[in-house]
Amino acid sequence: MSDERPTVRPVTLARLVEATHLCRTSAQTTDDIEERLDMSHRRARETLLETVRIDLITETDDDTFVATTVGEAFVDAIRDENWIEVSSILETHSPHYGNFLEVVEESGPVQLETVLEGLEDQAEFTPYSYNQTSVEVVGDWGKRLGTVQRNAFTGEYYRPKNDDPPPNFHYTLLGVYDELEETAGVGLRQRYLSIPEVRERLCANLQLTRQAFDEALAALAKENVGKLELSGAPMDTGAKEARYGIKEMALAGDDMLVSTSQSTEKVMQGIEQYGKQYYYLTVHDRELTYTTQ
């Protein structure tokens, strides 16, 4: 088999993990992978070729595949749920993924089309090339590992570098609130705004993780009772709708195979406080205070 191909193959992170784990357990043929992973022969071959290119497995002289030392470290990191290490291994050994992260870090928040342009510029004197599918493939890896986030409403990619909200979080929140507040007519403004939309905009602006936003907003609401109000909403509210799902990854419960369970959540969560979900917020008094921990 030849692993030469200019674009990344459409192989999910779960398939990379499964194929590498099987090849670590024992030498595998293409037919073995086809049967064990319940896929077509073409998909099995495609999965093996991409896993070889990333140096997670290698092909032997008898046309079987075994895990490399890199692949063993990859599976160990998956088992430990060390997503930073998993991403680091992919970044080092997959030029497509590494270049994708570099472009997003330099340009983000950035739309897919702009990411593609940046990757094409980088690839001018290399054997690699990119298209929309390849960007979405490596983008999916990054989203599941937490190394990139994608605004669920606008589709912009960015690197969530910050786990701690800045001391001026409340001022930034007010700025985003003003940006999103819709004008319904002269002097008339929308009173309640969708927390998911505020979250996505603010996280992109600050390159902040979603969890950090949730914790900061919950703390801000507790500190500013009467000034900042959180509101619930019916289950079919538009505040929870998004164009793009939020993708995550966790170990599957199957003891026979190290794999990943993947969740694309189109209905975005609000903020939980005192056991209740809130999906809207409104500001009654802009003189907010925010005490950082």
Side-chain angles (χ1 to χ4, degrees):
M1 285 186 180
S2 170
D3 61 355
E4 293 302 321
R5 169 174 158 154
T7 58
V8 68
R9 297 172 181 85
V11 178
T12 66
L13 190 55
R15 290 309 196 191
L16 291 178
V17 174
E18 291 166 337
T20 306
H21 172 68
L22 287 172
C23 292
R24 182 184 188 181
T25 303
S26 62
Q28 302 287 313
T29 65
T30 304
D31 290 340
D32 291 333
I33 295 296
E34 177 184 349
E35 180 180 353
R36 290 294 301 275
L37 299 186
D38 190 23
M39 57 173 56
S40 69
H41 189 82
R42 183 186 66 82
R43 289 293 294 162
R45 181 177 183 277
E46 194 170 54
T47 298
L48 287 169
L49 285 174
E50 196 60 34
T51 312
V52 166
R53 169 153 55 187
I54 304 174
D55 196 28
L56 301 178
I57 63 175
T58 187
E59 188 174 10
T60 66
D61 293 336
D62 59 355
D63 295 328
T64 62
F65 297 85
V66 295
T68 63
T69 55
V70 173
E72 291 175 353
F74 178 75
V75 172
D76 288 342
I78 289 285
R79 283 176 167 158
D80 293 339
E81 298 186 75
N82 186 346
W83 310 129
I84 294 176
E85 178 62 18
V86 173
S87 180
S88 177
I89 291 171
L90 291 177
E91 185 175 358
T92 300
H93 295 277
S94 168
H96 296 95
Y97 180 68
N99 290 337
F100 167 78
L101 292 183
E102 182 178 334
V103 169
V104 171
E105 182 161 3
E106 291 177 351
S107 307
V110 62
Q111 291 286 354
L112 186 150
E113 294 78 11
T114 307
V115 174
L116 183 55
E117 290 175 3
L119 288 171
E120 289 173 340
D121 289 343
Q122 278 195 353
E124 184 176 359
F125 301 107
T126 74
Y128 309 113
S129 65
Y130 300 86
N131 53 32
Q132 179 173 331
T133 298
S134 62
V135 172
E136 290 175 340
V137 168
V138 293
D140 184 84
W141 298 356
K143 285 185 289 182
R144 296 192 189 283
L145 294 173
T147 53
V148 298
Q149 289 180 174
R150 191 177 190 186
N151 187 310
F153 294 94
T154 68
E156 291 178 316
Y157 290 98
Y158 60 96
R159 298 290 302 272
K161 303 175 185 177
N162 302 312
D163 287 319
D164 298 314
N168 66 341
F169 174 80
H170 51 317
Y171 295 124
T172 307
L173 178 71
L174 289 174
V176 170
Y177 183 89
D178 291 341
E179 291 173 8
L180 292 177
E181 198 171 28
E182 298 177 1
T183 301
V186 178
L188 298 177
R189 302 174 73 82
Q190 181 172 303
R191 186 174 181 82
Y192 290 91
L193 292 181
S194 153
I195 289 175
E197 286 192 75
V198 173
R199 177 197 292 121
E200 293 302 288
R201 177 72 67 90
L202 189 146
C203 284
N205 289 352
L206 296 180
Q207 298 188 338
L208 188 68
T209 64
R210 293 183 175 103
Q211 180 178 348
F213 169 88
D214 289 353
E215 293 171 354
L217 181 58
L220 189 67
K222 289 179 181 179
E223 187 174 336
N224 293 272
V225 175
K227 297 180 180 180
L228 179 68
E229 178 188 351
L230 303 182
S231 173
M235 290 304 294
D236 61 350
T237 176
K240 294 181 287 182
E241 296 176 356
R243 291 176 59 197
Y244 303 94
I246 295 176
K247 300 186 177 183
E248 299 175 337
M249 185 175 70
L251 285 182
D254 187 351
D255 293 333
M256 298 299 293
L257 182 67
V258 175
S259 185
T260 53
S261 58
Q262 305 187 7
S263 172
T264 302
E265 187 60 66
K266 293 288 282 188
V267 180
M268 300 173 62
Q269 294 182 343
I271 295 292
E272 182 173 340
Q273 200 169 43
Y274 307 115
K276 183 178 179 181
Q277 285 282 329
Y278 296 92
Y279 294 98
Y280 288 94
L281 67 83
T282 188
V283 176
H284 297 295
D285 184 342
R286 298 179 67 89
E287 296 300 319
L288 303 177
T289 60
Y290 179 60
T291 305
T292 57
Q293 300 298 320

